[in-house]
Amino acid sequence: MTASITPERSSPAEGQRGRPLIITEDEELLDDLLRLCAAAGAEAEVAHGAPTRRGSWEGAPLILVGDDAAAGLRGRVRRAGVLLIGRDLDDHGIWRRAVDLGADNVAFLPDAETWLVDRIADVAEGVGQQAVTIGVIGGRGGAGASTLACALAVTAARSGRRTMLIDGDPLGGGLDVLLGGEGAEGLRWPAFAESRGRVAGSALEESLPELHSLRVLSWDRGDSVVIPPSAMRAVLAAARRRGGVVVVDLPRRVDEAAAEALAQVDLGLLVVPAELRAVAAAHRVASTVSMVLSDLRAVVRGPCGPELDDEEIARLLGLPLAGQLPPEPGLLDALDGGEPPGGSARGPLGRFCAEFWARALPGMTGGVTA
């Protein structure tokens, strides 16, 4: 169990990375906190009572204070990242001690162990601003969603941004194939199917194939593997914690795993060919996806006719228009030649993606503006 306290205090630098500081004279509590630090991949600094090393209180990215040591720290400079750790849920005096200390939260063990491991692991990874996360969904089969997802990722990586592409559609054939890297070394989805709890973002990134300067999580060519919602949640959260850009290729059918992915997407792009039947199919997809994702926009794949242009299609779908994707002559030949979607910055697909990111990425602190 945890509860939040929000006093005025100074803040260590966002995304600061370093060793958490444990302050306690309770040997049993210390053993538990060291165990949780080890589970989070962090090496802790320990102070028995008040910290003795100069600057350790001010400089530690996270401070875990045992309730036994709280009284001795009264009067310390108030700062962010202080957690008061207790065991007795019935001890109402702990709340007053937390206020006196200037703690952000009170965490009770063992109930809050999972939450506490996550907080410690954020410190170990140096977590800062999370990745801008874009989900791409086809309005009907063959709409070109996977092609657009790859092109968005390739374009973001070409601009120098840390980029991860996640294939969330088990029936899509594998994005690594579309990128010409089906033989590349690295893990695929089956290796993460049993993931529970937290996945380390750095370990995830390093384990995946690197293609065209981006990391790709795709499917292998073995038997179909069911990805539980917990695994999708853990993997996508790990990808987002690395910052930069995450692009997710999503299935049209929203099952539990897809719903978990949609819950972490900042903006969804629904790719709709400029055909009346495609619009009818996309309307059904949009109605389902919009139940989970609040910001869904239409990308109309041209060419458009005079009676069914991109604005009319977006109106029929009841969605904002993210743009029209013009045809790209020679795309299939380019793919056969090893060039990924969006590989040509001058092509229609590359230009569309560059314009999208130019709108979406500047000042990305509170939402997508594309």
Coordinates of all heavy atoms in Angstrom, one line a residue, residues 3-12 57 61-63 76-83 98-105 119:
A3 N 0.7 5.8 -0.3 CA -0.2 7.0 -0.3 C 0.7 8.2 -0.5 O 1.9 8.2 -0.1 CB -0.9 7.2 1.1
S4 N 0.2 9.2 -1.2 CA 1.0 10.3 -1.6 C 0.9 11.5 -0.7 O -0.2 11.8 -0.2 CB 0.6 10.8 -3.0 OG 1.3 11.9 -3.5
I5 N 2.1 12.2 -0.5 CA 2.1 13.4 0.2 C 2.8 14.4 -0.7 O 3.8 14.1 -1.4 CB 3.0 13.3 1.5 CG1 2.6 12.1 2.3 CG2 3.0 14.5 2.3 CD1 1.6 12.3 3.4
T6 N 2.4 15.7 -0.8 CA 3.0 16.6 -1.7 C 3.4 17.9 -1.1 O 2.7 19.0 -1.3 CB 2.0 16.9 -2.9 OG1 0.7 17.4 -2.3 CG2 1.7 15.7 -3.7
P7 N 4.4 18.0 -0.3 CA 4.9 19.2 0.3 C 5.7 20.0 -0.7 O 6.1 19.5 -1.7 CB 5.8 18.7 1.5 CG 6.3 17.4 1.0 CD 5.2 16.8 0.2
E8 N 6.0 21.3 -0.4 CA 6.9 22.0 -1.2 C 8.3 21.6 -1.0 O 8.7 21.4 0.2 CB 6.7 23.5 -0.9 CG 5.4 24.1 -1.3 CD 5.3 25.6 -1.0 OE1 6.4 26.2 -0.6 OE2 4.3 26.2 -1.3
R9 N 9.1 21.4 -2.1 CA 10.4 20.9 -1.9 C 11.2 21.1 -3.1 O 10.7 21.4 -4.2 CB 10.4 19.4 -1.6 CG 9.6 18.6 -2.6 CD 9.1 17.3 -2.1 NE 8.4 16.5 -3.1 CZ 7.1 16.7 -3.4 NH1 6.4 17.6 -2.8 NH2 6.6 16.0 -4.3
S10 N 12.5 21.0 -3.0 CA 13.4 21.1 -4.2 C 13.4 19.8 -5.0 O 13.0 18.8 -4.4 CB 14.8 21.4 -3.8 OG 15.4 20.4 -3.0
S11 N 13.8 19.8 -6.2 CA 13.7 18.6 -7.1 C 15.1 18.3 -7.7 O 15.7 19.2 -8.2 CB 12.7 18.9 -8.2 OG 11.4 19.1 -7.8
P12 N 15.5 17.1 -7.6 CA 16.7 16.7 -8.3 C 16.4 16.7 -9.8 O 15.3 16.7 -10.2 CB 17.0 15.2 -7.8 CG 15.6 14.8 -7.3 CD 14.9 16.0 -6.8
W57 N 22.3 13.3 0.8 CA 20.9 13.6 0.9 C 20.4 14.5 -0.3 O 19.4 14.2 -0.9 CB 20.6 14.3 2.2 CG 19.2 14.8 2.3 CD1 18.7 16.0 1.9 CD2 18.1 14.1 2.9 NE1 17.3 16.1 2.2 CE2 16.9 14.9 2.8 CE3 17.9 12.8 3.4 CZ2 15.7 14.5 3.2 CZ3 16.7 12.4 3.9 CH2 15.6 13.2 3.8
P61 N 19.1 10.3 -6.2 CA 17.9 10.4 -7.0 C 16.6 9.9 -6.3 O 15.5 10.3 -6.6 CB 18.2 9.6 -8.3 CG 19.2 8.6 -7.8 CD 20.0 9.3 -6.8
L62 N 16.8 9.0 -5.3 CA 15.7 8.5 -4.6 C 16.2 8.1 -3.2 O 17.2 7.6 -3.0 CB 15.1 7.2 -5.3 CG 13.9 6.6 -4.6 CD1 12.7 7.5 -4.8 CD2 13.6 5.2 -5.3
I63 N 15.4 8.5 -2.2 CA 15.7 8.2 -0.8 C 14.7 7.4 -0.1 O 13.5 7.8 -0.1 CB 16.0 9.5 0.0 CG1 17.1 10.4 -0.6 CG2 16.3 9.2 1.5 CD1 17.3 11.7 0.1
R76 N 15.8 18.3 7.8 CA 16.5 18.2 6.6 C 15.9 19.1 5.5 O 14.7 19.3 5.5 CB 16.6 16.8 6.1 CG 17.5 15.9 7.0 CD 18.9 15.9 6.4 NE 19.8 15.2 7.3 CZ 21.1 15.0 7.0 NH1 21.6 15.4 5.9 NH2 21.9 14.4 7.8
V77 N 16.7 19.5 4.5 CA 16.2 20.2 3.4 C 15.1 19.4 2.7 O 15.3 18.2 2.3 CB 17.3 20.6 2.4 CG1 16.7 21.3 1.1 CG2 18.3 21.5 3.1
R78 N 13.9 20.0 2.4 CA 12.9 19.2 1.8 C 13.2 19.1 0.3 O 13.6 20.1 -0.4 CB 11.5 19.9 2.0 CG 11.0 19.8 3.4 CD 9.7 20.6 3.6 NE 9.3 20.4 5.0 CZ 8.3 19.7 5.4 NH1 7.6 19.0 4.4 NH2 8.0 19.6 6.6
R79 N 13.0 17.9 -0.2 CA 13.3 17.7 -1.6 C 12.4 16.6 -2.2 O 11.8 15.8 -1.4 CB 14.8 17.2 -1.8 CG 15.2 16.2 -0.8 CD 16.3 15.3 -1.4 NE 15.7 14.5 -2.5 CZ 16.5 13.7 -3.3 NH1 17.8 13.7 -3.1 NH2 15.9 13.0 -4.2
A80 N 12.3 16.5 -3.5 CA 11.5 15.4 -4.1 C 12.3 14.1 -4.0 O 13.5 14.0 -3.8 CB 11.3 15.8 -5.6
G81 N 11.5 13.0 -4.1 CA 12.1 11.7 -4.2 C 12.4 11.0 -2.9 O 13.2 10.1 -2.8
V82 N 11.7 11.5 -1.8 CA 11.8 10.9 -0.5 C 10.6 10.0 -0.2 O 9.5 10.5 -0.3 CB 12.0 11.9 0.6 CG1 12.1 11.3 2.0 CG2 13.2 12.8 0.3
L83 N 10.9 8.7 0.1 CA 9.8 7.8 0.4 C 10.0 7.3 1.9 O 11.1 6.9 2.3 CB 9.8 6.6 -0.5 CG 9.8 6.9 -2.0 CD1 9.9 5.6 -2.8 CD2 8.6 7.7 -2.4
A98 N 5.7 11.6 8.1 CA 5.9 11.8 6.7 C 5.8 13.3 6.3 O 6.6 13.8 5.5 CB 4.9 11.0 5.9
V99 N 4.9 14.0 6.9 CA 4.7 15.4 6.7 C 6.0 16.1 7.2 O 6.5 17.0 6.6 CB 3.4 15.9 7.3 CG1 3.4 17.5 7.2 CG2 2.2 15.4 6.5
D100 N 6.4 15.8 8.4 CA 7.5 16.4 9.0 C 8.8 16.2 8.2 O 9.7 17.1 8.1 CB 7.8 15.9 10.4 CG 6.7 16.3 11.4 OD1 6.0 17.3 11.1 OD2 6.6 15.6 12.5
L101 N 8.9 15.0 7.6 CA 10.1 14.7 6.8 C 10.0 15.3 5.4 O 11.0 15.5 4.7 CB 10.2 13.2 6.6 CG 11.3 12.6 5.9 CD1 12.6 12.9 6.6 CD2 11.2 11.0 5.8
G102 N 8.8 15.6 4.9 CA 8.6 16.1 3.5 C 8.6 15.0 2.5 O 9.1 15.1 1.4
A103 N 8.1 13.8 2.9 CA 8.1 12.7 2.0 C 7.1 12.8 0.9 O 6.0 13.4 1.1 CB 7.8 11.4 2.8
D104 N 7.4 12.3 -0.3 CA 6.4 12.2 -1.4 C 5.3 11.2 -1.1 O 4.2 11.4 -1.4 CB 7.1 11.8 -2.7 CG 8.1 12.9 -3.2 OD1 8.0 14.0 -2.7 OD2 8.9 12.5 -4.1
N105 N 5.8 10.0 -0.6 CA 4.8 8.9 -0.4 C 5.2 8.2 0.9 O 6.3 8.2 1.3 CB 4.9 7.9 -1.6 CG 4.4 8.5 -2.9 OD1 5.2 9.2 -3.5 ND2 3.2 8.3 -3.2
R119 N 9.6 2.1 -8.7 CA 10.2 3.4 -8.4 C 11.8 3.3 -8.4 O 12.5 4.1 -9.0 CB 9.7 3.9 -7.1 CG 8.3 4.4 -7.1 CD 8.1 5.6 -8.0 NE 8.9 6.7 -7.6 CZ 8.6 7.6 -6.7 NH1 7.4 7.6 -6.1 NH2 9.4 8.6 -6.4

